[in-house]
């Protein structure tokens, strides 16, 4: 699996790194529990400053996509699709509760969802 | 004496032939990697061939240094075993450092501007070498340990201290060389490869695998010569425990069998394809 960075591109390098990791995780190419290269290794390979890669990792961590386990390294926390599933399920529960409160039937709630789609 | 002279002549002729054919050897090694499925791009193949050629030249110089040191020690001490120990010590040390320096210089010289690629794979030895090679690399360490232990047994008998110290010295020297080789392997694993295309990255990783493999082979040869061969060629005093002689034979034969098995698996398609595994 390969990622690339073009220093001449308009987007900052940390964002290029972050976006590529996000895509790989979302597509399931980087499975849950996969160990990522160290910040130093990736920075050396890509010819970037260590802080640039560290920033990308920090933002991915803030998005709950990866997790740093101390000296053990950095791991893929959950695939993006799983995260999305959880968010969608939570939103669906809220919609169902709101529909109950409003006294809507299932078909009427589905119509509301279809209109919002 | 005549045997050592014959070995010296054979060594000199062999290394001179290897020196003269280093270009051919470099090209052959690059083509062998190509057959394992690496991208067939002339520029990359020729760059790899040049690197292999430089390694061959550096290795041959390392071997010559070992030979010269053996001659000096032999002339000073008159001890063929000490000469052998010193030649292997200097030779393997010289070859290991030369291989590593050529690799590191090639990587540093390739620094470039523009887009850069990185692999997300881990850089562990098992990502570059096949398991028989790794088992053999660490398994061969038994040889110098056993040699040093036999040396201690000989020293305990007090009637052949020179032989005892030779064996202990060979074992310890071999362990030092192996420790250096292991440190060099870690350095090679940590080194960043500059690549601006996928083909280039594949070749870079294959060359990293080749360097790790060469260091591993160098370690195994040092273990076999300083471990297995030194014990079997030593004039062991009588009265040692009965298991020592069979053990020496087992170390010698077992050592070369393990070494051959490791080299066969490395030279096969399995070993060559492993060179590319690091980038998936």
């Amino acid at each position: 699996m390969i990622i690339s960075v073009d220093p001449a591109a308009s987007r900052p390098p940390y964002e290029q790194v972050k976006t590529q990791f996000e895509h790989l995780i979302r597509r399931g190419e980087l499975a849950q529990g996969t160990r990522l290269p160290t910040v130093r290794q990736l920075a050396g390979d890509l010819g970037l400053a260590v802080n640039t890669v560290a920033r990308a990792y920090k933002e991915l961590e803030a998005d709950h996509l990866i997790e740093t386990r101390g000296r053990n390294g950095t791991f893929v926390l959950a695939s993006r699709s799983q995260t999305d599933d959880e968010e969608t399920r939570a939103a669906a529960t809220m919609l169902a509760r709101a529909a109950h409160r409003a006294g809507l039937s299932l078909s009427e709630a589905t119509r509301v969802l279809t209109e919002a789609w | 004496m005549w045997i050592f002279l014959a070995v010296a002549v054979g060594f000199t002729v062999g290394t001179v032939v290897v020196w003269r054919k280093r270009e051919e050897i470099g090209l052959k090694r690059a083509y062998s990697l190509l057959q394992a499925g690496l991208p067939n791009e002339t520029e990359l193949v020729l760059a790899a061939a040049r690197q292999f050629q430089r390694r061959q030249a550096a290795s041959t110089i390392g071997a010559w240094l070992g030979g010269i040191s053996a001659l000096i020690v032999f002339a000073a001490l008159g001890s063929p075993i000490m000469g052998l120990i010193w030649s292997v010590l200097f030779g393997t040390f010289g070859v290991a450092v030369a291989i590593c320096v050529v690799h590191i210089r090639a990587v540093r010289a390739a620094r470039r501007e523009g887009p850069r690629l990185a692999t997300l794979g881990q850089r562990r030895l098992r990502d570059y070498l096949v398991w028989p090679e790794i088992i053999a690399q660490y398994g061969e360490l038994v040889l110098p340990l056993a040699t040093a232990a036999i040396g201690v047994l000989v020293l305990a008998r007090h009637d052949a201290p020179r032989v005892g110290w030779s064996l202990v010295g060979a074992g310890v020297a071999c362990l030092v060389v192996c420790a250096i080789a292991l440190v060099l392997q870690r350095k090679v694993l940590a080194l960043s490869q500059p690549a601006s295309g996928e083909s280039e990255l594949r070749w870079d990783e294959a060359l990293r695998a080749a360097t790790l493999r060469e260091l591993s082979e160098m370690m195994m040869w040092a273990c076999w010569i300083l471990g297995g061969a030194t014990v079997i060629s030593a004039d062991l005093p009588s009265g040692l425990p009965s298991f020592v002689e069979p053990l020496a034979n087992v170390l010698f034969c077992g050592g070369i069998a393990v070494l051959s098995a490791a080299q066969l698996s490395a030279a096969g398609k399995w070993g060559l394809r492993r060179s590319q595994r690091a980038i998936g």
Side-chain angles (χ1 to χ4, degrees):
Chain A
M1 219 167 292
I2 295 170
I3 68 165
S4 64
V5 165
D6 185 358
S10 57
R11 293 171 67 206
Y14 88 88
E15 208 177 302
Q16 293 181 44
V17 173
K18 188 193 162 195
T19 312
Q20 287 178 72
F21 271 113
E22 267 183 345
H23 287 164
L24 287 170
I25 293 171
R26 183 182 295 150
R27 286 202 300 261
E29 288 180 41
L30 273 175
Q32 185 176 2
T34 305
R35 189 175 168 179
L36 299 182
T38 61
V39 169
R40 197 169 290 275
Q41 179 187 317
L42 198 57
D45 286 352
L46 293 172
L48 299 174
V50 173
N51 284 343
T52 306
V53 178
R55 184 175 172 189
Y57 273 27
K58 203 175 277 178
E59 294 204 1
L60 288 164
E61 205 169 356
D63 290 346
H64 302 291
L65 290 174
I66 63 170
E67 175 189 42
T68 303
R69 296 180 199 158
R71 289 169 62 88
N72 291 328
T74 308
F75 297 83
V76 175
L77 190 60
S79 70
R80 185 56 188 254
S81 58
Q82 278 175 327
T83 312
D84 286 347
D85 283 354
E86 281 167 20
E87 280 176 15
T88 311
R89 208 165 282 129
T93 309
M94 283 174 69
L95 172 67
R97 281 180 189 156
H100 276 296
R101 278 198 299 273
L104 298 178
S105 65
L106 178 62
S107 59
E108 285 170 326
T110 311
R111 188 170 47 81
V112 171
L113 178 65
T114 311
E115 282 169 11
W117 196 264
Chain B
M1 180 65 193
W2 287 107
I3 291 172
F4 281 93
L5 196 64
V7 169
V9 170
F11 171 80
T12 311
V13 171
T15 47
V16 167
V17 169
V18 168
W19 178 267
R20 289 173 66 95
K21 292 196 172 237
R22 61 190 190 281
E23 277 181 38
E24 202 179 310
I25 292 169
L27 265 176
K28 269 189 183 169
R29 292 199 60 188
Y31 280 121
S32 75
L33 284 179
L34 194 61
Q35 281 167 1
L38 282 168
N40 189 358
E41 291 179 22
T42 314
E43 199 184 317
L44 295 172
V45 178
L46 289 178
R50 277 195 297 275
Q51 204 187 123
F52 281 127
Q53 183 190 327
R54 278 194 291 271
R55 285 176 198 214
Q56 197 62 55
S59 305
T60 312
I61 292 169
W64 279 336
L65 285 176
I68 291 166
S69 70
L71 269 180
I72 293 168
V73 175
F74 183 60
L77 301 176
S79 163
I81 290 185
M82 287 305 285
L84 177 75
I85 292 170
W86 279 91
S87 67
V88 176
L89 197 66
F90 273 85
T92 46
F93 180 74
V95 170
V97 172
I99 287 167
C100 213
V101 166
V102 168
H103 180 84
I104 290 169
R105 282 188 63 188
V107 171
R108 295 220 167 117
R111 292 261 176 260
R112 66 197 66 204
E113 301 300 319
R116 289 271 294 265
L117 268 67
T119 166
L120 298 184
Q122 297 300 304
R123 287 210 190 117
R124 294 159 304 189
L125 200 56
R126 65 173 180 268
D127 292 316
Y128 294 90
L129 306 184
V130 289
W131 61 263
E133 286 178 279
I134 297 171
I135 290 174
Q137 172 181 313
Y138 290 107
E140 290 268 348
L141 291 175
V142 170
L143 272 68
L145 287 171
T147 303
I150 292 171
V152 171
L153 277 178
V154 173
L155 282 175
R157 287 190 44 78
H158 302 293
D159 56 353
R162 197 166 171 164
V163 175
W165 282 117
S166 296
L167 294 178
V168 171
V172 172
C174 181
L175 290 173
V176 170
V177 165
C178 290
I180 292 168
L182 288 172
V183 170
L184 292 178
Q185 275 189 335
R186 284 179 71 94
K187 290 241 175 269
V188 169
L189 282 170
L191 206 63
S192 294
Q193 300 277 11
S196 53
E198 193 180 328
S199 311
E200 201 181 351
L201 189 58
R202 283 189 186 281
W203 272 98
D204 283 348
E205 290 301 327
L207 289 172
R208 190 199 301 272
T211 309
L212 292 168
R213 187 159 280 151
E214 283 171 13
L215 290 170
S216 173
E217 281 173 12
M218 185 277 305
M219 252 178 83
M220 289 191 283
W221 277 108
C223 285
W224 183 66
I225 297 172
L226 288 175
T230 312
V231 180
I232 213 164
S233 59
D235 189 14
L236 294 173
S238 56
L240 284 174
S242 58
F243 66 82
V244 171
E245 206 169 317
L247 178 66
N249 290 328
V250 168
L251 289 177
F252 184 77
C253 299
I256 194 67
V258 168
L259 206 159
S260 307
Q263 292 206 322
L264 275 175
S265 34
K269 281 203 169 173
W270 183 30
L272 290 172
R273 279 192 185 137
R274 188 67 156 210
S275 308
Q276 298 186 64
R277 194 187 131 152
I279 63 167

